[in-house]
Amino acid sequence: TREVTAVVSCLTDHVGVVITAPRRYGKSSLMKQACKELGRIAPTPTVVHVNLLQAGSLASATSLLLRRLFQLPGGPWHSLKDVVPGFLRRIRVQPTTTFDANGAPVFTFASGLSPAEISRVVDDVHAALDEIGTSRPAVLFLDEFQAATDLEEHLLRRLKVLADQYRKVSLVLAGSKQHLTESLVTAKGAPLYDMLERISLGPIPKEGWVPFLLRRAKRGGRPFADDSVAHGLWEIAGPVPFDVQQLAYESFNQADASTTESSQRRRVSWCAIRRQRRRGL
């Protein structure tokens, strides 16, 4: 609740945010919940969300950025007779356009894009979001943003320039590499130094988890046999939020009328495998 409130406050004031936490701690879920809460007090936010780690290359990241922008509900280009051509008129570097099985456009940039061309695409995405931002909150959310340094060394510095230029766009960055985040955001001379509010996510304590688990299982019709079973689940799977939720979900599916210790025990090996993978074993 505290972190959601902080993100909502920043987005309301068009203040940039950097969210740091290990993987599977809920950075994307936090943003989703914050946007949902923001929608209660303002028009529904429009969010362009790209995971840079999954992009694999700079051309792929730029293509995804453009596709996510086009897909925004309520984008002004959707009111045009020729939607795709109208949208592409806003983009100075033209991609190759194909269509998927559902008829949705797929924009692709060649791998040889120059840094100047990439900057123009990123500039145009900001300009479009800034236009949308006159009527509702507009957010550019880059997940695993530390990967940007592998894609193009000047990209983050360009984002800082654009954040100063387009005041109606809230820049949200999420990263799972603590030391890289510090070198890019908090250290003096960093590309994004003194620009973003920092929010760090740590483990959710057991005292917060157990009531949540009890409430959700009861709502689903297979309550925990007693509180100790919920406590035991956290002891097995904690503290990574994803692991706790996954074991709870699997235990719930294994249960009959109620979630018992035996239904958890049948899924314990899953958590052991997850931990070994994270440790590189």
Side-chain angles (χ1 to χ4, degrees):
T1 301
R2 181 174 60 250
E3 287 85 356
V4 166
T5 300
V7 173
V8 169
S9 177
C10 289
L11 297 184
T12 301
D13 297 331
H14 303 295
V15 174
V17 182
V18 58
I19 304 169
T20 58
R23 296 195 69 191
R24 303 298 189 180
Y25 268 60
K27 298 182 292 296
S28 297
S29 297
L30 172 67
M31 267 301 297
K32 183 177 179 180
Q33 183 63 29
C35 288
K36 182 178 179 180
E37 293 297 324
L38 182 59
R40 300 182 195 277
I41 59 176
T44 303
T46 179
V47 182
V48 171
H49 178 195
V50 173
N51 187 320
L52 295 182
L53 196 61
Q54 294 176 351
S57 69
L58 187 57
S60 176
T62 310
S63 300
L64 278 173
L65 193 63
L66 204 59
R67 186 174 188 183
R68 297 287 186 268
L69 177 66
F70 176 83
Q71 292 170 340
L72 289 178
W77 43 89
H78 290 300
S79 63
L80 302 175
K81 182 178 180 180
D82 297 317
V83 179
V84 175
F87 172 74
L88 290 176
R89 280 196 291 271
R90 299 168 175 270
I91 310 301
R92 288 170 290 173
V93 180
Q94 291 295 290
T96 300
T97 304
T98 56
F99 295 86
D100 63 20
N102 297 318
V106 178
F107 306 111
T108 307
F109 288 100
S111 58
L113 278 179
S114 68
E117 290 173 317
I118 293 160
S119 289
R120 284 197 288 273
V121 175
V122 176
D123 289 7
D124 294 341
V125 169
H126 274 77
L129 278 173
D130 194 67
E131 181 182 350
I132 294 172
T134 60
S135 58
R136 54 184 169 139
V139 180
L140 176 60
F141 177 27
L142 299 180
D143 211 346
E144 300 295 350
F145 79 98
Q146 72 277 349
T149 56
D150 296 327
L151 301 178
E152 210 285 307
E153 60 177 334
H154 302 296
L155 181 57
L156 292 180
R157 294 192 185 278
R158 186 60 189 163
L159 289 176
K160 184 172 184 177
V161 172
L162 294 173
D164 292 334
Q165 182 177 352
Y166 296 106
R167 297 288 186 170
K168 297 183 181 69
V169 181
S170 298
L171 178 63
V172 177
L173 306 178
S176 59
K177 304 293 185 182
Q178 190 79 13
H179 66 288
L180 283 176
T181 299
E182 292 175 355
S183 67
L184 297 173
V185 178
T186 60
K188 285 189 176 181
L192 302 174
Y193 177 69
D194 202 24
M195 166 186 171
L196 305 165
E197 290 292 324
R198 185 172 177 181
I199 297 174
S200 297
L201 301 184
I204 299 172
K206 181 166 61 174
E207 293 72 22
W209 268 115
V210 170
F212 170 79
L213 294 171
L214 293 171
R215 186 170 62 251
R216 291 300 299 268
K218 183 178 180 180
R219 186 183 303 169
R222 297 177 192 171
F224 286 93
D226 53 57
D227 289 10
S228 66
V229 178
H231 280 272
L233 186 149
W234 188 91
E235 294 291 347
I236 294 168
V240 179
F242 179 85
D243 288 354
V244 177
Q245 288 185 295
Q246 187 69 31
L247 181 57
Y249 175 79
E250 296 290 350
S251 300
F252 180 88
N253 286 339
Q254 291 282 341
D256 296 321
S258 64
T259 302
T260 63
E261 186 177 348
S262 63
S263 65
Q264 289 179 27
R265 198 176 295 120
R266 288 195 290 268
R267 304 305 302 172
V268 168
S269 60
W270 181 89
C271 283
I273 291 171
R274 291 278 307 176
R275 285 200 177 97
Q276 287 180 342
R277 285 177 179 172
R278 276 200 297 270
R279 294 170 183 168
L281 302 177

